[in-house]
Amino acid sequence: MNVGLIIAGGVGARMKMTTPKQFLSVKGKPILVYTLEAFQRNEAIDAIGVVCLRGWEDVVWKYVRKYNLSKVKWLTLGGNTGMESLRNGMEMLREHCNPDDVIVIHDAVRPLISDNIINANIAGVHRHGTAVTCVPCTEALLRSEDSETSCEVVDRDLIQRTQTPQSLRLSKFVWAHEEAQKRGITNTVATCTLLCELGEEVHIVMGEGTNFKITSREDIELMDAYLTCMEKRR
């Protein structure tokens, strides 16, 4: 079974808005729903679990009913950190899924994810055991100790910018979080960074520029503009 795990447990503090960004609407539809619909449409995805911000559980189930998101099967609460939210999601899936199931972990606030990326992640896990969505770095990179000055160039050809999904089998997901507890790793920022900290090699699959993360008001405007463009093409 291929399972989408949607991480929607963040408060979106950088947006400085009362509504968490995953619940903000663009063109009359919540950002989270766009993300869930992408996984709902994908023929390879069999089920979806959601890690939800505390207090918003009823809202998520309301979305599930309103938008006919029949693949959404399970919901659990987020933690105080991203790593805690991932662990909570892992524990939820551990109760319902098999060790060999492929878990496709995705940020709720990357709503423009394509079928190609989801499919590439699933294929990547089957081929290599892990899949991390990345895009090459195209900007010049400078290293700075004080965020004000620099005299050191970083070779951009050696840099990959990570996105989500980040995917692996449930057995590997469980192992990673259990091993992290043993080693005292408590606040790594993503599944790929956790695996790297544990000495594991991760395998890259190609992402897309449209698979950007909503982190600011400008990103919401960019998403709105993209959707308007897509509507005009139809």
Side-chain angles (χ1 to χ4, degrees), residues 70-178:
S70 59
K71 291 184 182 179
V72 178
K73 306 297 185 184
W74 317 291
L75 183 147
T76 192
L77 296 177
N80 294 322
T81 65
M83 186 173 178
E84 283 186 19
S85 292
L86 285 164
R87 181 176 180 83
N88 290 353
M90 178 273 290
E91 293 289 1
M92 172 182 67
L93 296 183
R94 198 177 189 179
E95 295 179 11
H96 302 285
C97 302
N98 295 318
D100 283 343
D101 288 344
V102 175
I103 312 301
V104 183
I105 306 166
H106 189 60
D107 295 330
V109 289
R110 291 184 187 270
L112 301 179
I113 183 172
S114 69
D115 268 346
N116 287 341
I117 292 177
I118 295 173
N119 294 338
N121 269 259
I122 294 169
V125 173
H126 281 287
R127 291 190 190 113
H128 305 292
T130 60
V132 177
T133 310
C134 294
V135 291
C137 183
T138 58
E139 299 87 358
L141 296 175
L142 300 178
R143 185 176 182 276
S144 176
E145 297 284 352
D146 59 8
S147 299
E148 294 182 0
T149 60
S150 176
C151 62
E152 182 179 347
V153 177
V154 179
D155 185 353
R156 68 184 182 186
D157 291 337
L158 301 178
I159 303 299
Q160 291 285 327
R161 294 189 294 117
T162 63
Q163 301 180 334
T164 61
Q166 298 178 8
S167 306
L168 68 179
R169 294 192 187 276
L170 178 58
S171 57
K172 188 84 168 183
F173 197 10
V174 172
W175 171 84
H177 281 272
E178 289 183 342

